[in-house]
Amino acid sequence: MAEQLERRTERAPARFGGLDYAPAPEATDHVQLRADHGLLIGGRWVEPASERRFKTISPATEEVLAEVAEAGEEDVDAAVKAARAAYTKVWSRMSGAERAKYLYRIARILQERAREFAVLETMNGGKPIKESRDVDVPLAAAHFFYHAGWADKLDYAFPGRRPAPLGVAAQVIPWNFPLLMAAWKLAPALAAGNTVVLKPAETTPLTALRLGEVIQEAELPEGVVNILTGAGATGAALVGHPGVDKVAFTGSTEVGKAIQRTLAGSGRKLTLELGGKAANIVFEDAPLDQAVEGIVNGIYFNQGHVCCAGSRLLVQESIAEPLVDKLKRRMATLRVGDPLDKNTDVGAINSRAQLDKITELVASGEADGAQAWQAPCELPARGFWFRPTVFTHVAQSYRIAQEEIFGPVLSVLTFRTPDEAVEKANNTPYGLSAGVWTDKGSRILDLASRMQAGVVWANTFNRFDPTSPFGGYKESGFGREGGRHGLAAYLDLS
Ligand code: NAI
Ligand code: MG
């Protein structure tokens, strides 16, 4: 395994499953990279009072793309005050129909600039261009369109209640869907009449900053959206600021718990969307080829940097062998490498820290006695990469069956009866998502009702839609995002 993990230097054309592919790189000349970025506070780009900056890189090449500001406490204070002023003077007084116009504008500009956003997302985050192009950017626009539609219909969304905005929302987001998470958080907050201070993740600030430009282009009143770049200390200063009325966080369970402690007793509203360890459950009557596609999409999509990734495969014992064989054959055809190449299926790991975490957990799986198999593929010389990996002979107690790996690593377990499948699926500290593959509708309904998971997909996986509430049980957090449920999290309904 140590040898298998060794980085190779050879580049394309690579051979995948016996086929040669010529490189098909997406053009990048339409994306103007700015050398440095300020903070968006009160409608203007300003230099950080902290006078600190940090570099942001491409995880596929380790090249520096830009420098961004690191917001300190003074910057956080200025941003929260700007958001408060915008809230009291403008945004909370504006009619819902007026607010909707701004959201529609943002959605349309995102569509017009879709290519630029997709390329920038892929450069800064390492995800394959076909995902940022076909999933992240269209869904980000869809979230603005969807919530624009609610802005003037809040009384209809919550009949008999008097929905009122909460005030200033602090939103801290992760690096796995940088633009989509920003849209996912901003759209409902703004539709409901709140103003926002948003903090993107330190490894992927560039699309959130560019969204700041879109927000200016859409002529949102100054201070309605403020964007602060920085790392954990900036996030902690923001969520702990007394001028904040609502906190929304997506990220690690560890930080989620720390934020919960900070806010305890403050009366401020909090939603947390944390990690996951989803089970993808395949019964013997499932269409196996379709299931294999679902399993691959479930765990190798976005390099497994997905909180709801199907990171455990629970397969009925009678079909375990043929299913795992099919899966390995399919994995051998996955194209790993340059995320800007339109043929790439699996891109770069987002950061060296994340690669180290994946490598450490995979080593623990081997030490525990599980058997690893890796897709045979060449890895680029520079950047952060991990081969798609599948573990068999996995016991429920192993760390690879309990902990979130957040990488392209699947753990296979088996079961005999539906009861055993439910018990094993629920046997982790998490409860974000699950998948069921079977021909029987009654079995889908039965399992869905017994699984402790906020989302249960049936005969599909990793499907997202702004109309559908998303969120977890147990250590996966609380509160829902998307749909009417997500809107409610930004409103006072008393
Ligand atoms: P993280 O939770 O440290 O970072 C997420 C966001 O929180 C970033 O914007 C970060 O700057 C901010 N942050 C960090 N410390 C903070 C604090 N004390 N107060 C307020 N904000 C803070 O996640 P990290 O370290 O990037 O990843 C660690 C693990 O977390 C991953 O390996 C994965 O297992 C999980 N994770 C889960 C995500 C999800 O979608 N639920 C997303 C990202 C990571
Ligand atoms: Mg962290």
Side-chain angles (χ1 to χ4, degrees):
M1 183 88 174
E3 280 149 17
Q4 280 181 320
L5 295 179
E6 202 179 276
R7 308 241 168 90
R8 310 250 178 96
T9 49
E10 205 172 307
R11 280 215 95 153
R15 287 183 72 77
F16 297 99
L19 294 171
D20 284 331
Y21 285 90
E26 171 74 41
T28 56
D29 47 4
H30 57 292
V31 180
Q32 299 276 316
L33 283 174
R34 325 222 186 298
D36 53 54
H37 294 263
L39 304 167
L40 183 62
I41 300 179
R44 292 187 308 121
W45 294 101
V46 298
E47 291 299 310
S50 73
E51 292 182 7
R52 287 192 300 272
R53 307 191 144 268
F54 61 99
K55 292 177 168 57
T56 187
I57 64 166
S58 150
T61 62
E62 298 176 62
E63 264 170 282
V64 174
L65 298 175
E67 283 209 356
V68 297
E70 182 189 330
E73 281 182 21
E74 217 180 300
D75 301 302
V76 168
D77 191 52
V80 172
K81 285 189 173 129
R84 172 66 56 199
Y87 177 74
T88 42
K89 292 192 197 128
V90 187
W91 201 244
S92 64
R93 297 182 179 188
M94 197 182 271
S95 72
E98 248 344 87
R99 288 198 307 272
K101 284 188 200 166
Y102 291 101
L103 294 182
Y104 280 122
R105 259 188 223 161
I106 296 171
R108 281 195 298 265
I109 300 171
L110 272 179
Q111 286 184 321
E112 280 158 20
R113 294 172 63 171
R115 244 182 99 213
E116 172 194 352
F117 270 95
V119 170
L120 194 60
E121 193 74 317
T122 284
M123 289 172 84
N124 201 194
K127 64 173 66 198
I129 186 72
K130 69 176 174 194
E131 291 179 11
S132 36
R133 183 194 61 201
D134 298 344
V135 182
D136 296 66
V137 177
L139 262 180
H143 272 271
F144 281 106
F145 276 119
Y146 174 78
H147 286 97
W150 274 131
D152 62 346
K153 301 175 194 71
L154 297 175
D155 292 332
Y156 298 91
F158 306 99
R161 317 285 281 274
R162 270 176 304 161
L166 299 171
V168 175
Q171 306 185 318
V172 177
I173 57 172
W175 40 264
N176 52 342
F177 294 93
L179 176 70
L180 180 56
M181 281 296 121
W184 191 319
K185 294 258 185 300
L186 285 171
L190 299 178
N194 304 276
T195 57
V196 174
V197 182
L198 175 79
K199 195 203 81 66
E202 53 270 41
T203 57
T204 54
L206 295 184
T207 47
L209 289 168
R210 203 148 293 207
L211 181 61
E213 294 174 15
V214 168
I215 281 162
Q216 287 184 312
E217 200 181 323
E219 295 179 354
L220 255 79
E222 60 188 41
V224 171
V225 175
N226 305 272
I227 301 177
L228 298 180
T229 44
T234 307
L238 175 58
V239 301
H241 194 289
V244 161
D245 303 295
K246 147 91 191 177
V247 173
F249 172 77
T250 299
S252 63
T253 298
E254 184 197 354
V255 173
K257 284 180 179 172
I259 293 175
Q260 200 173 5
R261 282 193 296 272
T262 303
L263 264 66
S266 71
R268 282 179 260 159
K269 279 215 182 187
L270 173 65
T271 41
L272 296 175
E273 204 264 275
L274 311 174
K277 193 70 190 174
N280 217 344
I281 305 173
V282 183
F283 285 91
E284 60 189 3
D285 63 344
L288 292 196
D289 291 327
Q290 247 170 277
V292 165
E293 288 309 306
I295 295 161
V296 164
N297 173 43
I299 186 62
Y300 305 118
F301 174 67
N302 196 17
Q303 297 74 248
H305 297 333
V306 184
C307 46
C308 51
S311 55
R312 291 178 300 154
L313 169 61
L314 285 182
V315 51
Q316 200 155 19
E317 210 172 81
S318 51
I319 53 156
E321 240 186 75
L323 185 71
V324 171
D325 281 350
K326 268 180 192 287
L327 178 65
K328 287 179 181 170
R329 275 205 300 279
R330 177 68 179 90
M331 282 169 65
T333 68
L334 290 173
R335 287 156 291 192
V336 184
D338 182 5
L340 280 166
D341 191 308
K342 284 171 255 185
N343 288 324
T344 292
D345 298 305
V346 180
I349 300 302
N350 183 263
S351 65
R352 187 177 296 283
Q354 190 57 32
L355 178 60
D356 290 346
K357 175 182 166 179
I358 298 167
T359 308
E360 194 267 327
L361 271 161
V362 165
S364 88
E366 296 207 288
D368 279 339
Q371 244 174 49
W373 183 89
Q374 292 192 311
C377 55
E378 308 284 349
L379 299 182
R382 286 177 66 83
F384 315 131
W385 308 94
F386 203 85
R387 288 196 172 80
T389 302
V390 54
F391 271 112
T392 49
H393 303 277
V394 180
Q396 286 188 82
S397 57
Y398 293 176
R399 287 178 61 202
I400 55 167
Q402 289 291 327
E403 294 180 28
E404 182 170 62
I405 301 176
F406 227 62
V409 180
L410 178 69
S411 298
V412 182
L413 298 114
T414 59
F415 68 90
R416 289 183 184 166
T417 63
D419 286 345
E420 195 187 339
V422 170
E423 197 189 304
K424 286 188 169 167
N426 288 341
N427 183 20
T428 77
Y430 294 109
L432 192 55
S433 63
V436 186
W437 297 81
T438 173
D439 213 21
K440 291 193 183 65
S442 58
R443 182 176 279 160
I444 291 169
L445 295 175
D446 173 49
L447 258 75
S449 67
R450 289 155 69 201
M451 233 128 44
Q452 295 169 331
V455 181
V456 180
W457 284 293
N459 295 328
T460 185
F461 208 88
N462 268 346
R463 289 224 158 235
F464 304 99
D465 189 297
T467 65
S468 168
F470 183 90
Y473 280 65
K474 303 193 287 190
E475 296 210 351
S476 293
F478 48 78
R480 295 290 178 265
E481 298 187 298
R484 240 165 25 100
H485 296 73
L487 208 52
Y490 286 94
L491 289 166
D492 180 353
L493 294 171
S494 57

